[in-house]
Amino acid sequence: MQAAGDGPWLDDAAGRLVRPFTVSNGRTRPTVALDLMSQVRATGATPLGYLGPEHAQALDLCRAPVPVAEVAAHLGLPVAVTKVLLADLVDCGALTDKPPAFHHNPTDRALLEAVLDGLRRQL
């Protein structure tokens, strides 16, 4: 899917040569509601129209279900930009999305304390 030279434009000294929001044509809001934990997966359908190199990279990362946050990390792009790219792929039928399933109350005090304890152990 990705041709040679279609990787992110990087310069060792300057960093990324293309500003992140240029990748999304300046758009900051995705057309699909995606959470950081939403799972996205390639459908196998060929997207119609032009896709930029970042779209192709994102699609390649989504061969198996993967959370939006992980795609953003692999692409090295802000989450807002990644959500726009992924929404483009959902809109053209190349990706499916599944919102996260919470089995617990996300404001459950015991759950929040367990997360805090885990974070403290990491530091």
Side-chain angles (χ1 to χ4, degrees):
M1 285 199 190
Q2 184 176 336
D6 277 349
W9 294 359
L10 298 173
D11 179 277
D12 291 335
R16 190 173 188 81
L17 297 177
V18 176
R19 295 285 181 221
F21 286 96
T22 304
V23 172
S24 64
N25 293 324
R27 295 173 293 148
T28 58
R29 296 185 193 266
T31 57
V32 176
L34 294 170
D35 186 275
L36 285 175
M37 301 285 291
S38 294
Q39 298 282 316
V40 288
R41 182 178 187 155
T43 62
T46 304
L48 301 174
Y50 172 76
L51 291 180
E54 287 82 3
H55 284 94
Q57 286 178 309
L59 192 55
D60 188 50
L61 290 168
C62 298
R63 287 177 277 160
V66 62
V68 169
E70 191 171 327
V71 175
H74 283 291
L75 292 177
L77 292 171
V79 173
V81 173
T82 302
K83 286 181 179 182
V84 171
L85 296 177
L86 294 174
D88 291 346
L89 293 168
V90 169
D91 289 342
C92 73
L95 285 183
T96 60
D97 66 305
K98 179 180 174 188
F102 292 106
H103 299 292
H104 302 284
N105 179 358
T107 58
D108 179 19
R109 183 177 177 92
L111 175 63
L112 294 174
E113 287 176 355
V115 169
L116 183 59
D117 289 341
L119 290 172
R120 284 182 179 145
R121 278 184 260 143
Q122 295 295 320
L123 300 174

